Amino acid sequence: MDDRREPSLLFLTDEQLKKGIEAMYFAYRGFTADPDRILEKYGYGRAHHRAIHFIHRSPGTTVNNLLAILGVTKQSLNRVLRTLIEDGLVESRVGKRDKRERNMYLTEKGISLEGELAEAQRARMRKAYRDAGPDAVQGFRQVLEAMMDAEQRRHFNLLKDPE
Amino acid sequence: MDDRREPSLLFLTDEQLKKGIEAMYFAYRGFTADPDRILEKYGYGRAHHRAIHFIHRSPGTTVNNLLAILGVTKQSLNRVLRTLIEDGLVESRVGKRDKRERNMYLTEKGISLEGELAEAQRARMRKAYRDAGPDAVQGFRQVLEAMMDAEQRRHFNLLKDPE
DNA sequence: CAAACTAAGTCAGTCTTGTTGACTTTCCAA
DNA sequence: TTGGAAAGTCAACAAGACTGACTTAGTTTG
């Protein structure tokens, strides 16, 4: 019998897995740091950011669809949407086919905040990609996708892919 | 003039950066899902997990050191530590050199919960690494490290590296 | 030695974001 | 026409973060 193993298996020591876990923890804090600073200026939190992001991403999306993507309760999402509608960042239109549904759209003001948040986050991602080099980006995306729950991966893949 | 650009730069469209951002969001939810389920059984939250993780990682660590790593307030950390000490998962010992300091250690019970949490998280990371392939892992780690704030990266690198 | 500083812990109050449960209104579809 | 689905509301609660003020113990420094 050949005693040698695939390097791809040998490689996965508990210590190295732990470093991956810690990297994920510290990186996520960096990932949210810039938007958090911007949101604070306007008196919003991460929940508002998530709603704004996914409404921008899929204009006209329904409450139910947002609930499925975000994985929170109706009451929790509703509190956030109500604030954004009151503040004039989001517009809720009664559904054309099914009038029970509400289709969500960003207003000019909403688009403007979305842009500010997205650009801050893209800037960090751009820097991380450039620092890590082009080969790293592919691996980064592959591991993240493999880390998702099936349900989340489904939502992720339903979002429009660049070209 | 040559109209062609470096693939490594051409590559960074806003849409592709956005997919990276969304991948980070969905992956982090997967990353925390398993520990969250375990913690719920014991009536603990993510804050308890973080404390347990870093005390396990650096036995004898002080409160001040944990505050720096976790980036929360003393009051917030103290609430969590108090519970863990009361429940017999963490032991707080008066410092040898400086008696103002408290050195934190996991008890048998604490080590046991840490093991359960860590194994769940490692299992997911192991699966993600295997699904993505050995080449991807390097890139994953590089991008994450580049995404951290300098302060967080410092803490990350201070944690003992495998071999 | 006394004063100043530091580490830890505590008390009180606030905020965001999540939860459950009960309920209404609207409206589609069998 | 009636049952059920979608959306929204009200109330109550909890975790986990925050600020600010304060105590106690112990160390360091002038």
Side-chain angles (χ1 to χ4, degrees):
Chain A
M1 287 273 289
D2 188 355
D3 215 37
R4 294 174 62 192
R5 292 176 213 120
E6 282 289 323
S8 61
L9 298 177
L10 191 64
F11 173 78
L12 297 170
T13 68
D14 280 4
E15 273 302 317
Q16 277 160 325
L17 291 168
K18 180 172 278 192
K19 283 297 271 188
I21 289 163
E22 287 166 346
M24 195 69 189
Y25 167 68
F26 287 117
Y28 195 76
R29 287 179 52 184
F31 174 69
T32 54
D34 306 320
D36 282 353
R37 268 188 291 272
I38 294 166
L39 289 159
E40 214 196 340
K41 292 193 301 181
Y42 300 93
Y44 295 132
R46 279 187 204 172
H48 300 88
H49 185 187
R50 293 195 277 265
I52 288 170
H53 176 95
F54 288 111
I55 293 171
H56 174 79
R57 191 63 150 132
S58 310
T61 185
T62 62
V63 171
N64 252 5
N65 187 40
L66 285 173
L67 288 177
I69 290 176
L70 297 173
V72 296
T73 58
K74 183 170 59 158
Q75 295 88 331
S76 196
L77 174 60
N78 201 252
R79 196 196 299 122
V80 165
L81 286 179
R82 201 189 316 145
T83 314
L84 293 174
I85 291 166
E86 277 169 9
D87 295 355
L89 281 82
V90 167
E91 198 195 331
S92 166
R93 295 187 210 151
V94 174
K96 277 256 162 70
R97 290 176 320 183
D98 186 336
K99 289 178 194 161
R100 288 169 303 182
E101 293 185 341
R102 299 288 180 275
N103 298 111
M104 300 293 160
Y105 299 89
L106 291 188
T107 63
E108 286 271 310
K109 207 171 154 189
I111 290 168
S112 156
L113 178 54
E114 195 285 330
E116 189 179 351
L117 292 164
E119 185 41 43
Q121 219 156 18
R122 279 197 302 266
R124 181 173 297 248
M125 194 61 74
R126 205 180 285 123
K127 189 197 164 296
Y129 277 5
R130 289 199 169 144
D131 286 3
D135 296 340
V137 175
Q138 176 92 332
F140 169 72
R141 280 282 302 276
Q142 283 172 337
V143 175
L144 287 189
E145 201 163 334
M147 203 183 297
M148 297 174 196
D149 277 342
E151 176 69 4
Q152 299 307 316
R153 186 157 44 242
R154 199 174 63 75
H155 289 300
F156 175 72
N157 286 318
L158 281 177
L159 296 169
K160 199 173 75 255
D161 245 318
E163 94 260 48
Chain B
M1 286 269 293
D2 189 354
D3 215 39
R4 295 175 60 193
R5 292 177 214 120
E6 280 289 321
S8 61
L9 297 177
L10 189 65
F11 171 78
L12 296 170
T13 67
D14 280 4
E15 272 303 315
Q16 276 161 327
L17 291 168
K18 181 173 278 191
K19 283 297 271 188
I21 289 163
E22 286 167 346
M24 195 69 189
Y25 168 68
F26 287 118
Y28 196 76
R29 287 179 51 185
F31 174 70
T32 54
D34 306 320
D36 282 352
R37 268 188 291 273
I38 294 165
L39 289 159
E40 214 197 339
K41 291 194 303 182
Y42 300 93
Y44 295 132
R46 281 188 204 171
H48 300 87
H49 186 187
R50 293 195 278 265
I52 288 170
H53 176 95
F54 288 110
I55 293 171
H56 174 80
R57 192 64 151 130
S58 309
T61 185
T62 62
V63 171
N64 256 359
N65 186 41
L66 285 173
L67 288 178
I69 290 175
L70 298 173
V72 296
T73 58
K74 181 171 61 157
Q75 294 89 330
S76 197
L77 175 60
N78 200 252
R79 194 198 304 121
V80 166
L81 285 180
R82 201 189 313 146
T83 313
L84 293 174
I85 292 166
E86 278 169 9
D87 294 355
L89 280 82
V90 168
E91 198 195 332
S92 167
R93 295 186 210 152
V94 173
K96 278 257 162 69
R97 290 176 320 183
D98 188 334
K99 289 178 195 163
R100 288 170 306 179
E101 294 184 340
R102 298 288 179 276
N103 299 111
M104 300 295 161
Y105 299 89
L106 291 187
T107 63
E108 286 272 309
K109 207 171 153 189
I111 290 169
S112 156
L113 178 54
E114 196 284 330
E116 190 179 352
L117 292 164
E119 186 42 42
Q121 220 156 19
R122 278 197 302 265
R124 181 172 298 249
M125 194 62 74
R126 204 179 286 122
K127 188 196 164 296
Y129 278 4
R130 288 195 170 149
D131 287 2
D135 296 341
V137 175
Q138 176 92 332
F140 169 73
R141 279 281 302 275
Q142 282 173 336
V143 175
L144 287 188
E145 201 162 333
M147 201 182 300
M148 297 174 196
D149 278 341
E151 175 69 4
Q152 299 308 315
R153 187 158 44 244
R154 200 174 63 76
H155 289 300
F156 175 73
N157 286 319
L158 281 177
L159 296 169
K160 198 171 75 260
D161 246 317
E163 99 261 43

